[in-house]
Amino acid sequence: MARRNLNDLLFFVTVAREGSFTRAAAQLGVTQPALSQAISGLEERMQIRLLTRTTRSVSPTAAGERLLQSVGHRIDEITAELDMLTELRDKPAGTVRITCGPNVLKTTLLPKLTPLLREYPDIHIEFDANHGFRDIVADRFDAGVRLGDTIDKDMIAVPIGPKLRMAAVASPDYFARHPLPRTPHELTRHQCINQRMIRSGGIYVWDFDRQGGDLNVRVSGQLTFNTSEHIVDAALAGLGIAFLPEEELGSHIAEGRLIRVLEEWCLPFPGYYLYYPSRKQPSPAFSLVVDALRVRRKS
């Protein structure tokens, strides 16, 4: 009976956190009817309803929320301890969940983690690639990736890439029709390609920096996007000036498809960091992932 209760508690916690029997069943590797039957059995034995079910969602009742708060973290601790046992194996195993932006996934994470994945076939990595900020604790990610100056102070932050610089660029065709801007203030007389920030919903204010001070410029133009790849496409099409990290524009600048301006106003700033909550006993798989991504300082 105790073993059955433990399994059903794991099922309940997963459903409550996911808010969906379908997603929970996929995560647990069981069928949806079996999962629903297990939860119903738990509720019957406890003689109290733990979940409110509608056609669109599943949410814990007051009793279910109390049970989730009391046992959820204990189940997480048990899972972490079980992961630690993989240290006794020849090959560490386990799943590491990371949320990050699509560009840093392509340019940094996959290249650095490819040798690790080949060496340790029992390590699995799940990536959540998006342009917004996720709460890695609430959403149960092992780690996230952000620029160094945007990470909360209570997180452990590990540098995984070099410092970055912004770049203001436009196509040769655009600058054939418009004069080169000599200062950031002159951008207000140009067609600029704006970016709407997914997290705040506001329009990104272009930040310039050089020896002697910072300067913020609100630009305008015919186009606004919430994804950087489309901003690059619009700049290549001659539709305006774009302002993005130079790593997203490097090949286009090098091969002359985009012309860089105001370079002296774009100083380096902290690059990408892997961040995660403090944990007493990280799993061997997680430790290997962090070590593979960490920037090696030159001696």
Side-chain angles (χ1 to χ4, degrees):
M1 178 66 71
R3 181 179 300 175
R4 182 177 179 184
N5 282 336
L6 286 175
N7 286 338
D8 291 351
L9 282 173
L10 172 61
F11 290 173
F12 161 74
V13 168
T14 305
V15 172
R17 284 173 168 170
E18 292 294 328
S20 164
F21 276 92
T22 302
R23 291 195 298 270
Q27 182 175 326
L28 292 165
V30 300
T31 65
Q32 188 172 338
L35 182 58
S36 180
Q37 184 177 0
I39 299 297
S40 296
L42 178 63
E43 290 177 323
E44 185 177 342
R45 291 193 300 277
M46 296 185 66
Q47 296 185 352
I48 191 169
R49 181 164 294 279
L50 300 172
L51 295 173
T52 298
R53 303 163 174 84
T54 69
T55 56
R56 293 186 177 181
S57 65
V58 178
S59 60
T61 63
E65 185 65 36
R66 180 173 177 178
L67 180 62
L68 177 63
Q69 294 299 322
S70 63
V71 304
H73 69 281
R74 292 184 172 92
I75 288 178
D76 291 339
E77 291 171 357
I78 292 171
T79 301
E81 290 295 331
L82 291 174
D83 287 340
M84 283 297 297
L85 293 178
T86 62
E87 195 168 17
L88 302 177
R89 299 174 52 175
D90 292 336
K91 295 290 185 180
T95 298
V96 177
R97 302 182 69 232
I98 300 174
T99 179
C100 60
N103 187 66
V104 71
L105 172 57
K106 177 180 178 181
T107 62
T108 303
L109 299 186
L110 279 181
K112 284 193 168 188
L113 292 174
T114 295
L116 174 73
L117 293 170
R118 289 174 176 167
E119 183 176 358
Y120 298 99
D122 293 328
I123 291 179
H124 302 267
I125 303 177
E126 178 184 341
F127 293 106
D128 170 71
N130 66 83
H131 293 277
F133 287 165
R134 299 289 295 271
D135 184 331
I136 63 172
V137 175
D139 295 335
R140 303 183 68 225
F141 288 100
D142 294 291
V145 175
R146 288 187 192 172
L147 294 175
D149 55 2
T150 64
I151 298 174
D152 294 336
K153 300 300 183 182
D154 59 347
M155 292 284 174
I156 295 175
V158 177
I160 63 173
K163 288 187 175 182
L164 301 177
R165 293 179 69 195
M166 298 297 289
V169 299
S171 70
D173 174 65
Y174 177 85
F175 283 131
R177 294 179 282 111
H178 302 85
L180 296 174
R182 303 298 178 184
T183 69
H185 287 298
E186 294 181 14
L187 291 170
T188 58
R189 299 196 291 269
H190 281 266
Q191 287 288 331
C192 294
I193 305 167
N194 266 310
Q195 181 173 7
R196 186 171 296 280
M197 308 306 292
I198 292 178
R199 186 183 187 189
S200 66
I203 297 296
Y204 173 59
V205 178
W206 291 15
D207 301 312
F208 292 92
D209 183 21
R210 74 172 183 179
Q211 301 296 339
D214 303 337
L215 180 63
N216 297 330
V217 180
R218 292 189 179 275
V219 299
S220 60
Q222 293 177 285
L223 294 172
T224 300
F225 298 98
N226 64 355
T227 55
S228 59
E229 54 264 37
H230 295 111
I231 294 176
V232 175
D233 291 341
L236 290 169
L239 296 174
I241 299 177
F243 189 60
L244 292 168
E246 63 182 1
E247 65 169 6
E248 301 188 38
L249 305 162
S251 63
H252 298 301
I253 296 173
E255 296 171 16
R257 291 187 293 271
L258 292 174
I259 296 173
R260 186 170 188 171
V261 295
L262 304 174
E263 188 169 357
E264 69 276 14
W265 284 89
C266 300
L267 296 181
F269 58 89
Y272 288 110
Y273 281 68
L274 185 80
Y275 69 98
Y276 53 92
S278 175
R279 56 178 71 191
K280 294 181 180 179
Q281 294 180 318
S283 71
F286 182 78
S287 296
L288 285 170
V289 168
V290 173
D291 191 59
L293 292 175
R294 188 189 308 270
V295 168
R296 306 297 177 190
R297 298 189 181 277
K298 297 180 180 180
S299 57

